[in-house]
Amino acid sequence: MKDNKKEVLIELKNLNKYFKIGKEKTLKAVDNINLNIYRGETFGLVGESGCGKTTCGRTIINLYQPTSGQVIYNGIDTKGLKGKELKKFRKSAQMIFQDPYASLDPKMTIGDIIEEGIRVHFKDLSEKEIRDRVTVLLKTVGLNAEHSARFPRELSGGQRQRIGIARALAIEPDFIVCDEPISALDVSIQAQIVNLLIDLQKKKNLTYLFISHDLSMIKHISNRIGVMYLGSLVEVSPSESLYKNPMHPYTQALISSIPIPDPNVNSADRIKLEGEIPSPIDAPEGCKFSTRCRYAKDICKKERPILKEVEPEHFVACHMFDKMKEK
């Protein structure tokens, strides 16, 4: 998936992240993913709970070491980075976690939480310069200086998530993994956080990996979207193209499930997935979606499809993708 007009910031090559379950079983959380993320874009990653979205994000920023394959960041393979090179990478790639309360140390004040990364990566700053930077960061995320002395328990969910954003921004990263940053928030707050992220991206030329199961929101914020199923990418496309012309049957079912606030819309027209949901520990030999797919043929049960470009910038992993057009 190459585009000479765009600068590749992150390249995933045959990326795998497996976890041992007991002595004999293996959970393939991320299974042979190949993907480019371009500088300055928001790449949305969507799929059902447990499909491997968060594990993929954590592997990209080196919180998990890949089982095999490569994460190439700005031309450098991140596997095995040590010392100054690892510190430089951690400064450049940050994460906003899903649960804003669990990700903040309850014993630390907000000021201490934001200062922590600054003290590690900007050791030449004076105490005043550090405090001034914290104040600027708080204002950047819509809070004020007085929040610096408070503890996480004294803040609302939306305010805590803003602190998580400020902490990620504190060390001036280029890339941020946003791991379902709005799923734990009230609907009235979700739009505020998403608009804040969009505004910060424009001002600071940030690159996002935005992980979510909210199909409407991910369409709003993403330039391109990848759809995951049981650890594998089944479709990658520009946002508008994916919603107008989904080619994988799983993507079609996901988009069909988006609630439409219109009583005249017939719910019977929605695509209903049937069949057995495979275990991620014992996935089918061929296409992982074959047990739930209405188009599945013998080849789907025997041979694993690979991600292919079937239209400009639109990739799909499906033996029967041409049938998807006959909706």
Side-chain angles (χ1 to χ4, degrees):
M1 281 184 273
K2 295 184 178 180
D3 189 327
N4 295 327
K5 297 179 181 179
K6 301 174 184 178
E7 181 184 354
V8 176
L9 179 64
I10 296 169
E11 184 178 4
L12 308 183
K13 292 184 175 180
N14 304 314
L15 184 65
N16 296 294
K17 180 56 186 177
Y18 300 162
F19 297 96
K20 286 290 184 182
I21 307 296
K23 294 183 179 180
E24 299 180 356
K25 296 182 178 180
T26 300
L27 171 62
K28 296 182 178 181
V30 175
D31 193 15
N32 196 39
I33 286 185
N34 291 277
L35 177 70
N36 289 343
I37 298 177
Y38 301 113
R39 186 180 295 278
E41 80 166 338
T42 296
F43 186 88
L45 196 57
V46 68
E48 294 170 292
S49 296
C51 70
K53 304 185 298 294
T54 294
T55 300
C56 183
R58 292 187 175 208
T59 305
I60 289 173
I61 65 170
N62 221 4
L63 289 181
Y64 294 150
Q65 281 289 314
T67 301
S68 61
Q70 294 176 289
V71 177
I72 309 295
Y73 184 87
N74 212 13
I76 299 173
D77 189 342
T78 63
K79 189 174 183 179
L81 287 179
K82 296 179 181 179
K84 291 182 179 179
E85 289 301 316
L86 178 59
K87 185 177 179 181
K88 182 179 178 181
F89 171 71
R90 293 205 183 282
K91 178 181 180 299
S92 184
Q94 285 291 297
M95 188 165 191
I96 300 169
F97 295 90
Q98 178 177 359
D99 188 338
Y101 190 63
S103 64
L104 302 177
D105 190 331
K107 297 180 180 179
M108 296 175 68
T109 65
I110 299 307
D112 290 338
I113 289 170
I114 298 174
E115 287 176 12
E116 192 173 25
I118 297 174
R119 293 184 184 279
V120 170
H121 293 281
F122 300 95
K123 293 185 177 180
D124 294 336
L125 295 179
S126 66
E127 288 297 318
K128 182 180 183 305
E129 288 173 324
I130 292 174
R131 288 194 301 272
D132 289 345
R133 181 167 291 199
V134 170
T135 298
V136 170
L137 284 164
L138 287 170
K139 290 181 178 179
T140 298
V141 298
L143 300 175
N144 54 56
E146 71 175 30
H147 287 96
S148 180
R150 298 186 185 182
F151 290 89
R153 64 178 179 272
E154 299 177 274
L155 304 179
S156 68
Q159 288 174 325
R160 290 178 196 139
Q161 196 59 289
R162 289 171 185 267
I163 297 303
I165 295 171
R167 177 178 59 183
L169 293 174
I171 56 176
E172 301 176 359
D174 295 317
F175 173 68
I176 299 178
V177 174
C178 306
D179 183 16
E180 304 217 34
I182 61 173
S183 63
L185 305 177
D186 293 337
V187 174
S188 59
I189 305 298
Q190 290 181 359
Q192 295 178 23
I193 298 299
V194 167
N195 289 334
L196 172 62
L197 289 170
I198 293 172
D199 185 53
L200 290 170
Q201 183 179 44
K202 292 176 181 177
K203 290 179 179 178
K204 300 178 179 294
N205 194 32
L206 296 169
T207 303
Y208 292 146
L209 173 63
F210 194 91
I211 297 169
S212 180
H213 60 266
D214 186 329
L215 292 158
S216 298
M217 189 60 74
I218 210 162
K219 177 186 179 184
H220 172 65
I221 195 172
S222 303
N223 301 106
R224 292 187 302 138
I225 298 173
V227 181
M228 281 191 75
Y229 184 77
L230 286 181
S232 299
L233 280 173
V234 297
E235 191 161 0
V236 177
S237 168
S239 178
E240 289 298 324
S241 176
L242 187 80
Y243 283 76
K244 288 180 179 178
N245 184 30
M247 294 188 179
H248 196 280
Y250 177 60
T251 309
Q252 290 180 0
L254 285 181
I255 293 175
S256 173
S257 71
I258 299 175
I260 299 174
D262 185 349
N264 296 318
V265 174
N266 188 354
S267 62
D269 295 334
R270 296 186 184 279
I271 298 173
K272 297 178 177 64
L273 294 179
E274 299 178 353
E276 181 183 355
I277 302 175
S279 166
I281 299 173
D282 187 24
E285 179 181 346
C287 174
K288 296 179 181 180
F289 190 63
S290 61
T291 60
R292 304 169 74 189
C293 182
R294 54 184 172 154
Y295 298 99
K297 302 296 183 183
D298 287 342
I299 188 175
C300 305
K301 300 174 183 179
K302 297 176 182 178
E303 185 178 325
R304 182 72 55 85
I306 61 173
L307 207 61
K308 293 182 178 179
E309 188 173 19
V310 295
E311 288 185 358
E313 296 189 84
H314 198 144
F315 300 78
V316 62
C318 181
H319 295 299
M320 311 299 295
F321 78 88
D322 55 330
K323 298 292 185 182
M324 305 305 103
K325 300 176 182 179
E326 303 173 9
K327 296 179 286 183

